[in-house]
Amino acid sequence: QTIENTEFSRKKAIDDAKLQAAKDAAAAANNTNLQKFLNNFESRVYAQLSTQLINNLFGENPQNSGTVTIEGNTIVYTKTADTISLTVTGQNGNVTTVDIPIGTLKF
């Protein structure tokens, strides 16, 4: 039984070390200057898309409805006098709806 426990412990330690090495390699790949640049660029693009959506809802020429498609995900927005409804349909077909009361959005 002691030999079995030792063999099991040794095999588990080797498997754990392999798993940790794979995690370290993935972390290193995501920490390159190029990957940092791409992540920053992607964040800024999404921020611009968000700004455009906000301008469509509240800008000089507000729209009461519209559709935006991003990476296969569809966002449909509808604005009424007191509510903005966002419906997001993911690539997998999952649907999320968010209703935002705009009467309370005062600055």
Side-chain angles (χ1 to χ4, degrees):
Q1 190 176 25
T2 302
I3 295 172
E4 269 183 41
N5 286 341
T6 303
E7 287 176 357
F8 175 78
S9 296
R10 191 175 305 143
K11 185 176 183 220
K12 184 170 178 356
I14 291 169
D15 290 344
D16 289 348
K18 287 179 184 177
L19 180 62
Q20 187 59 47
K23 286 180 181 179
D24 291 346
N30 286 327
N31 201 26
T32 65
N33 286 336
L34 176 60
Q35 192 59 45
K36 289 176 188 177
F37 170 80
L38 292 173
N39 288 340
N40 186 29
F41 180 77
E42 182 180 42
S43 294
R44 289 175 182 260
V45 168
Y46 283 123
Q48 283 297 317
L49 290 172
S50 176
T51 299
Q52 290 176 12
L53 179 59
I54 294 300
N55 287 339
N56 285 347
L57 288 166
F58 301 107
E60 291 180 21
N61 299 310
Q63 300 173 3
N64 290 328
S65 64
T67 302
V68 179
T69 302
I70 302 171
E71 293 185 1
N73 302 293
T74 303
I75 302 168
V76 177
Y77 62 90
T78 305
K79 180 180 171 186
T80 63
D82 56 351
T83 304
I84 297 171
S85 178
L86 296 173
T87 302
V88 181
T89 304
Q91 290 177 333
N92 59 5
N94 289 345
V95 177
T96 303
T97 301
V98 179
D99 291 316
I100 304 162
I102 58 176
T104 60
L105 296 175
K106 295 181 181 175
F107 298 98

